[in-house]
Amino acid sequence: DTVTVDFGSKEKADQVFAAALKSGYNLRRVNDTQVAAAFHETSAYEDLVDLCRAFTGKDTFTFADDVKGRLNAELLRQDNILQHPVFNRYHTEHEMLRYLKKLEDRDLAMNRSMISLGSCTMKLNATAEMLPITWAEFTDIHPYAPETQTAGYRELLTDMENSLKAITGFDAISFQPNSGAQGEYSGMLSIRRYQEAQGEAHRNICLIPKSAHGTNPATAAMLGLKVVVVDTDERGNVNIDDLKAKAEQHRDALSAIMITYPSTHGVYEEGIRDICHIIHENGGQVYMDGANLNAQIGIMQPAEVGADVLHMNLHKTFCIPHGGGGPGVGPIGLKAHLAPFAPGHALTDTHSASADQTAVAAAAYGSASILPITWMYLTMMGKQGMEQATRWALLNANYVAKRLSEDYPILYTGKNGRVAHECIVDLRPLKAESGITETDIAKRLMDYGFHAPTVSFPVAGTLMIEPTESESKAELDRFIAALKQIKQEVLKVERGEWPKEDNPLINAPHTASDVTGEWAHPYSREEAVFPLPFVREHKFWPSVKRVDEVYGDRNLVCSCLPIDAYED
Ligand SMILES: *Cc1c(COP(=O)(O)O)cnc(C)c1O
């Protein structure tokens, strides 16, 4: 999509660049004599004429041939496009709207009920936060636009940088990483480059506690580090003795620890300061996974506790919607000694790439166009609001944990019996007694109108629940009631009142067609689809029954036209 022209002299290239700019076009300086123009699907014949004026310096000129609307015939597609009926079925706006609504209704989403996915922080993505990203002032700016045209964007970035510094206590922020995992990579890369600059490039051991998110060891492996796993204790905390032993054993080659705080076990690591101290004592750096920052803001600062670098998930804690694969923003905060090693970028103010530029993304400020969401959140909440949100998130998680502990063991708690912003519900004892699995319970929740929590992560056979501050007590109570009722259903199976091979749990979820026609199950249709009174109020009808777990992942089924339709 990009055409580069070499003008043979800097003077001429400057001229063309200036002339294009004057008529409203941003060209890119590739080097002193070369200028590049990028085109996209909305570039028109008129743009070409304007550019030719800038390139030739003439007002009128003729093209060698009639270029208007002409493309190389060999490259023109001859067959019909978009043949699938879905592209040809909807010809009125009403029909299109209803089609989109139909698809939406098949999704058990946040606009229906809470999504309690642990470690995902499925909080409110407020409409007021979302509105600005539809404005052309934000969406129509090219990531490589010259700084003279992006004063507003840079003001927004500086504002957010200051807020995030105040929240985390770090000295510098980089907005370049496009996800949490990429933030990890950028942060760990900063550590690696710092250590190289110190003449310690040989440091290649990365300690990672057992409770870590899977992205942590993946990041370490991508950087060529050797992962050494640290044990956790019966409370879910890092085993400090094991950590100390391993840090000392590897002290000559220790690069870093990657530690999540609060941990993905849903507890505040009580020894976090000691952990950071032990790593520093043994020559390593502390990478803190800050995806769980929702449990810290306004209460404590990761930098103050001892972290050297941390990533934040703006698409968790800071309201950018996520799920379904992005887009994400995973900025990192760095202490002063690591700041010079943050991701650089060849195309910021100048056109010259420095030899050691270490960009981790194509754009200097990553997914900048969605940053207004976070800016709105920070601005509308303010310092006090953010702190209050943290406290509500903790209160909600502890309320859910406490109420559910009457029916299910909560796997890990701190020494006061409290959790952080999420809790792990242990289903293994129930499974051992009844044969009902965590999957059955997750599917059954759909009949109650709820999306499943995080299943079997970070501990197999458990559910991890993070309610966030955004849910009301009424919604939490409905969710709790559903899980309590499910416990009663499991007990019926356990007691033999419902057969193991035919009960609402293993048959879940129930579709509308399941409950029409003949009914031969030992439980009623009402028990199947209206298991609690509140479910009648706003029934979610799953559109498909259970698909054999991994079968779909291992056996891709194409819903396109049959293959012979593509013949010839
Ligand atoms: C979500 C998460 C990540 C990864 O973030 P992505 O944006 O999904 O790459 C890393 N660590 C923890 C603890 C997380 O919850």
Side-chain angles (χ1 to χ4, degrees):
D1 63 351
T2 304
V3 179
T4 300
V5 180
D6 193 333
F7 289 97
S9 82
K10 179 170 182 307
E11 197 192 352
K12 176 68 183 164
D14 284 347
Q15 247 172 39
V16 170
F17 187 85
L21 190 59
K22 207 165 153 214
S23 50
Y25 295 89
N26 281 323
L27 299 182
R28 180 162 66 83
R29 291 301 295 266
V30 179
N31 57 33
D32 277 352
T33 63
Q34 294 180 352
V35 166
F39 298 86
H40 58 53
E41 66 280 8
T42 70
S43 305
Y45 178 74
E46 289 68 31
D47 296 315
L48 184 64
V49 173
D50 286 346
L51 279 179
C52 287
R53 273 200 196 104
F55 276 48
T56 60
K58 292 179 189 152
D59 254 352
T60 54
F61 45 81
T62 45
F63 290 114
D65 203 346
D66 176 21
V67 299
K68 194 168 182 175
R70 228 183 86 163
L71 289 166
N72 188 339
E74 276 169 42
L75 300 177
L76 291 181
R77 183 174 178 156
Q78 303 299 335
D79 57 334
N80 293 322
I81 60 159
L82 305 179
Q83 284 301 283
H84 194 282
V86 78
F87 297 115
N88 298 287
R89 204 179 276 150
Y90 309 107
H91 291 289
T92 68
E93 189 165 340
H94 252 156
E95 281 180 314
M96 187 66 197
L97 178 74
R98 288 166 190 152
Y99 172 61
L100 294 175
K101 179 70 182 157
K102 183 172 93 182
L103 294 181
E104 189 206 315
D105 283 345
R106 288 182 179 173
D107 199 3
L108 185 33
M110 289 285 262
N111 57 5
R112 168 84 61 168
S113 55
M114 68 186 276
I115 297 187
S116 61
L117 286 170
S119 208
C120 288
T121 316
M122 303 297 280
K123 61 164 69 177
L124 171 73
N125 314 121
T127 303
E129 291 155 10
M130 306 294 288
L131 280 175
I133 63 164
T134 65
W135 299 343
E137 289 85 343
F138 286 119
T139 57
D140 286 0
I141 293 183
H142 195 280
Y144 299 163
E147 293 213 340
T148 52
Q149 294 171 27
T150 57
Y153 247 116
R154 277 179 298 113
E155 190 178 326
L156 178 129
L157 285 163
T158 307
D159 255 14
M160 289 181 50
E161 200 177 312
N162 290 335
S163 299
L164 295 182
K165 278 185 196 167
I167 286 169
T168 58
F170 286 103
D171 302 307
I173 304 285
S174 165
F175 285 105
Q176 202 175 105
N178 283 308
S179 74
Q182 211 180 43
E184 290 173 30
Y185 180 81
S186 313
M188 290 301 289
L189 186 63
S190 311
I191 291 178
R192 288 289 266 166
R193 294 183 67 227
Y194 165 76
Q195 287 171 341
E196 270 170 39
Q198 304 287 307
E200 311 225 292
H202 66 281
R203 293 190 173 273
N204 69 342
I205 299 290
C206 183
L207 301 182
I208 300 184
K210 241 187 193 159
S211 54
H213 193 273
T215 48
N216 291 185
T219 296
M222 276 184 73
L223 282 156
L225 293 164
K226 240 184 84 190
V227 174
V228 173
V229 177
V230 179
D231 251 338
T232 49
D233 65 19
E234 72 285 350
R235 284 204 170 282
N237 291 307
V238 169
N239 179 332
I240 305 265
D241 292 336
D242 189 50
L243 173 86
K244 198 154 190 248
K246 283 173 175 154
E248 280 167 6
Q249 183 195 339
H250 296 289
R251 67 172 301 145
D252 294 332
L254 184 62
S255 173
I257 188 171
M258 294 187 82
I259 181 143
T260 309
Y261 185 81
S263 76
T264 34
H265 283 169
V267 288
Y268 289 103
E269 227 32 94
E270 276 161 35
I272 187 70
R273 282 176 196 274
D274 295 337
I275 291 170
C276 297
H277 185 67
I278 292 168
I279 297 301
H280 288 142
E281 285 270 278
N282 289 286
Q285 296 281 304
V286 175
Y287 181 90
M288 193 180 276
D289 181 326
N292 295 338
L293 206 63
N294 212 41
Q296 295 185 51
I297 296 175
I299 290 176
M300 54 151 292
Q301 292 179 315
E304 189 269 325
V305 165
D308 297 294
V309 50
L310 156 132
H311 85 260
M312 294 153 250
N313 286 59
L314 299 194
H315 51 288
K316 287 181 181 169
T317 316
F318 297 92
C319 295
I320 294 176
H322 62 298
V329 184
I332 53 172
L334 310 99
K335 289 247 172 89
H337 67 284
L338 292 179
F341 304 97
H345 201 277
L347 285 169
T348 45
D349 215 7
T350 64
H351 59 265
S352 55
S354 72
D356 65 343
Q357 69 89 4
T358 52
V360 296
Y365 302 110
S367 307
S369 71
I370 50 175
L371 290 179
I373 304 171
T374 296
W375 187 91
M376 287 294 284
Y377 178 63
L378 291 168
T379 307
M380 291 193 295
M381 293 288 277
K383 188 170 181 284
Q384 258 189 327
M386 300 284 293
E387 182 189 324
Q388 199 182 8
T390 307
R391 294 186 187 279
W392 273 110
L394 300 177
L395 179 65
N396 280 358
N398 278 284
Y399 177 68
V400 170
K402 182 78 184 163
R403 293 280 317 276
L404 287 180
S405 69
E406 295 153 11
D407 296 85
Y408 304 91
I410 303 301
L411 191 54
Y412 299 120
T413 57
K415 67 168 183 261
N416 297 328
R418 297 277 180 240
V419 297
H421 61 305
E422 60 192 1
C423 63
I424 299 180
V425 170
D426 196 353
L427 301 177
R428 291 171 298 184
L430 207 57
K431 182 176 173 179
E433 297 285 319
S434 66
I436 296 298
T437 68
E438 62 278 11
T439 303
D440 299 328
I441 292 175
K443 303 288 182 192
R444 180 63 174 151
L445 270 170
M446 249 189 279
D447 288 333
Y448 287 79
F450 287 106
H451 193 290
T454 296
V455 177
S456 285
F457 170 86
V459 181
T462 67
L463 297 178
M464 183 159 64
I465 299 170
E466 179 181 5
T468 83
E469 71 279 14
S470 307
E471 300 304 339
S472 67
K473 181 165 177 295
E475 179 71 357
L476 297 180
D477 284 340
R478 282 188 286 271
F479 178 70
I480 291 164
L483 276 169
K484 282 177 172 287
Q485 182 75 6
I486 286 175
K487 166 75 184 283
Q488 295 310 310
E489 294 175 352
V490 177
L491 290 181
K492 277 193 175 182
V493 178
E494 201 177 308
R495 290 194 298 260
E497 289 169 43
W498 283 333
K500 282 197 186 324
E501 59 296 334
D502 189 3
N503 60 66
L505 292 142
I506 65 157
N507 292 336
H510 295 82
T511 64
S513 46
D514 274 348
V515 288
T516 51
E518 260 179 56
W519 186 260
H521 301 293
Y523 54 97
S524 72
R525 293 172 212 254
E526 281 70 24
E527 281 171 312
V529 296
F530 296 127
L532 281 173
F534 74 78
V535 181
R536 285 179 190 269
E537 177 85 6
H538 192 199
K539 174 66 184 167
F540 174 76
W541 290 101
S543 56
V544 285
K545 278 199 71 70
R546 196 183 302 200
V547 180
D548 174 21
E549 295 306 296
V550 291
Y551 184 89
D553 295 337
R554 291 185 183 154
N555 301 275
L556 295 181
V557 179
C558 180
S559 62
C560 329
L561 295 175
I563 194 73
D564 50 11
Y566 293 90
E567 251 173 57
D568 197 25

